[in-house]
Amino acid sequence: MKVAFHTLGCKVNQYDSEAMLECFARAGYEIVPFSQEADVYGVNTCTVTGTGDAKSLKLIRRLHREHPEAKIIVCGCLAQRDAARVLLPGVALVIGVQHRAQVVELFERAVASGEPLCAVDSLKEAAFENLSVSRHEGKTRATMKIQEGCDRFCTYCVIPYVRGPVRSMPLPAVREEAVRLAGAGYREIVVTGIHLASYGRGEGTTLLDAIHAVAEPEGVKRIRLGSLEPLIVTPEFVEGIAAESKVCRHFHLSMQSGSAGVLRRMRRRYTPEEYLRAVERLRAAFPDCAITTDVLTGFPGETDAEAQETVEFVRRVAFARIHVFPYSPRAGTIAAAMPNPVDDAKKQWRTNELLEIGNQLEAAYVQRLTGTTQEVLFERQLEGGWAEGLTGQYVRVRALARANELLPVRLLSRQGTVVLGEAQGR
C-alpha cells in the first residue's frame, strides 16, 4: 500500500510527519510524494491560527472528494484540539499529538474494524514521545525534536492546550540521536521543540547541556537552534553557545510585538528593553549573526500608537528577517474575549507595512554580508555544476560546488535575497 503525508504548520509538525512515515516504511508500506496517488493519506494539522484550521479542514475534504477510496489519517494540533471536527468522511484514524509511534498499529486496527478510530487522549500526564527520523529526503540538514509542550499560556495562544505540559527528550537519548544522525551523513542538525527554552526543566538539565551533547559527534559540523524565548539569552547562555563553535550564527528570538503595552496584554514575560538586551548580547558575541523573529499584528486593543511602536522597534533591532501574522482569535484563549478588537482591514494594512519593512531589512542584511567569506553547506545540486546552500546565518547562496559540500565561499553579488558566490579551496 502507498502512503503520503502533507504537513501544515511548524518544523515540529514536519518532524512528526517524517517520524510517522518511517513507521509506515518499516511496516512495509511504500512512501510516495503527496502529489501522487496513494492508498493512505496523512494530514498533520495546524491550529495556531484560523487559517491553519481552514486549510486543514479544506485539505481533508478535498482528499476524500478526489480519492474516495483512500483512507485518511488526521493528526497534529487541530486533531488534538477538536477531534470531532476533523472526523470527516474518509477519515479512518484521528490521533492528535500522541501515539504517533503506534500510528501503523492504530491505522490497521481502524481498517480491520471498518469503523473510524479516534485515539486522542488527555495530555495532562503525557510523557515525552521519543520519535526518531533517520532519513531527511534530499537534505544535508536533519531536524531533532528534543522538547514537547509549553506552559507559558500567552493570552492569544492555544499551543499549551493542544501540546500539553513541558517534557523533554532525556539527555542520553539526545546524545544517541546526534551520533546516529552524524553516522547517517548529516552535517547540520536543527534542534527544535515547542518551547525550546524549557528543555530539561524538572530533570536537572538545560538547553546548553543538550547543545553540547548534539555537538559531540565529529560528523556534526553545524547546530542550528530553533525558536528561542528572549529571556533564555542570559550572559551565561551566550557564553555557553559562543564557546561551542558549531552553533550557527542565526538566532530566532520570538518577539510578537515591540510595544510594552501589547506585550503585557499578551502575557509575554519580557519587555522591549529586555528583548533588546538579548539582541545586544548575541551581537556582542556573534557580530555578524542574523536575528530573526515573529510579529503578530492587530492584537485586541492595539492602538495606532502601539502599532507604530512595533514598527520603530523592528527598525531599531534591524532584523535579518521577520515573519508577520495578523492576529486570529482562538476559542478558549483569554485574548478571544478581550475588548476592542482590531478590524481586519487595519490588521492587514499593519501586516503589509511590516512585511515591506521586513523585505527591506532582509535585503540590507544580505547586502552587508556581500564581500565577506562565509561557510556554506550546499544542499541542492543545480544545472551547470552550480549548487545552492545556506550560510550559518541562513542566507541562501549559489556557487560552483557539489551538494553536501561544506565550503568557505566568497559572497560576490546579491540577487534579491540570494547571493552568488565563489567557493574557496576547491
Side-chain angles (χ1 to χ4, degrees):
M1 293 181 75
K2 296 180 178 180
V3 181
F5 263 67
H6 183 81
T7 306
L8 296 106
C10 62
K11 281 186 170 62
V12 173
N13 261 12
Q14 292 167 18
Y15 179 92
D16 293 341
S17 292
E18 290 293 332
M20 286 184 281
L21 283 172
E22 288 208 3
C23 291
F24 276 103
R26 286 194 296 270
Y29 289 75
E30 180 184 352
I31 309 304
V32 299
F34 194 74
S35 57
Q36 293 186 14
E37 196 76 23
D39 304 292
V40 184
Y41 289 98
V43 179
N44 200 343
T45 61
C46 177
T47 191
V48 169
T49 66
T51 300
D53 285 1
K55 285 182 177 179
S56 299
L57 295 167
K58 182 178 180 181
L59 179 56
I60 296 165
R61 293 189 181 101
R62 180 171 67 79
L63 283 172
H64 181 59
R65 185 173 65 251
E66 296 179 357
H67 310 279
E69 301 303 316
K71 305 294 184 183
I72 302 171
I73 298 169
V74 184
C75 52
C77 292
L78 178 57
Q80 182 69 40
R81 183 175 177 229
D82 197 345
R85 194 176 177 197
V86 301
L87 199 56
L88 297 167
V91 174
L93 174 65
V94 180
I95 60 172
V97 299
Q98 291 186 93
H99 310 308
R100 290 159 297 199
Q102 291 82 45
V103 62
V104 177
E105 175 191 342
L106 292 169
F107 169 71
E108 292 178 348
R109 188 192 306 171
V111 172
S113 72
E115 297 291 334
L117 175 61
C118 181
V120 177
D121 294 329
S122 168
L123 296 169
K124 189 175 181 180
E125 303 297 330
F128 184 81
E129 188 175 22
N130 203 355
L131 302 171
S132 180
V133 177
S134 60
R135 193 172 53 92
H136 299 252
E137 195 68 46
K139 295 180 180 178
T140 53
R141 286 182 291 142
T143 299
M144 185 194 300
K145 185 179 81 170
I146 67 168
Q147 186 276 333
E148 179 70 273
C150 180
D151 63 359
R152 301 285 94 175
F153 289 97
C154 298
T155 58
Y156 58 86
C157 187
V158 299
I159 292 303
Y161 305 98
V162 298
R163 283 284 179 172
V166 168
R167 53 227 193 256
S168 304
M169 178 187 284
L171 196 60
V174 172
R175 192 171 286 110
E176 291 168 12
E177 183 82 346
V179 169
R180 190 179 61 77
L181 291 171
Y186 295 102
R187 306 283 193 94
E188 179 179 312
I189 294 179
V190 182
V191 178
T192 190
I194 294 296
H195 189 259
L196 195 55
S198 294
Y199 174 84
R201 185 186 299 162
E203 299 177 16
T205 54
T206 68
L207 180 56
L208 268 180
D209 295 324
I211 292 168
H212 294 320
V214 173
E216 286 179 13
E218 185 178 343
V220 175
K221 302 301 182 185
R222 298 206 306 202
I223 300 169
R224 194 176 298 278
L225 301 178
S227 181
L228 296 173
E229 186 176 79
L231 292 180
I232 198 178
V233 186
T234 62
E236 295 76 18
F237 181 80
V238 173
E239 182 181 354
I241 59 174
E244 185 51 74
S245 62
K246 296 181 180 182
V247 172
C248 288
R249 299 188 305 279
H250 167 218
F251 305 100
H252 188 87
L253 295 186
S254 180
M255 187 184 82
Q256 308 307 341
S257 176
S259 164
V262 173
L263 289 174
R264 281 194 300 273
R265 295 199 298 278
M266 288 179 169
R267 202 180 283 170
R268 302 296 283 180
R269 304 189 184 199
Y270 50 84
T271 64
E273 291 74 22
E274 288 171 322
Y275 189 99
L276 196 57
R277 279 200 293 274
V279 171
E280 290 168 347
R281 285 171 186 149
L282 289 169
R283 285 180 172 158
F286 306 91
D288 64 348
C289 69
I291 307 291
T292 61
T293 201
D294 304 304
V295 183
L296 195 61
T297 64
F299 188 74
E302 183 185 59
T303 65
D304 289 342
E306 288 173 330
Q308 187 59 34
E309 286 174 359
T310 294
V311 167
E312 292 170 0
F313 191 76
V314 164
R315 290 191 185 280
R316 183 179 178 188
V317 175
F319 290 102
R321 188 180 309 111
I322 61 173
H323 304 282
V324 188
F325 307 93
Y327 166 75
S328 175
R330 306 278 73 206
T333 62
I334 294 171
M338 283 183 173
N340 303 316
V342 178
D343 68 72
D344 289 344
K346 185 167 283 190
K347 273 193 279 194
Q348 196 57 55
W349 191 91
R350 291 173 182 173
T351 298
N352 292 342
E353 180 185 25
L354 283 168
L355 285 171
E356 178 58 32
I357 293 169
N359 290 338
Q360 296 167 7
L361 292 175
E362 183 173 2
Y365 178 76
V366 172
Q367 184 62 45
R368 286 199 299 275
L369 287 186
T370 302
T372 67
T373 298
Q374 302 290 335
E375 193 178 63
V376 176
L377 178 57
F378 289 96
E379 297 183 340
R380 188 164 66 97
Q381 200 68 50
L382 306 175
E383 295 180 356
W386 290 78
E388 186 174 277
L390 294 168
T391 70
Q393 301 96 325
Y394 213 78
V395 171
R396 195 161 294 281
V397 175
R398 291 176 187 163
L400 292 170
R402 290 186 294 272
N404 211 28
E405 284 189 317
L406 183 64
L407 297 171
V409 177
R410 176 80 172 170
L411 307 187
L412 300 177
S413 61
R414 178 176 65 87
Q415 295 186 349
T417 56
V418 176
V419 178
L420 298 182
E422 181 180 33
Q424 310 291 297
R426 295 194 74 225

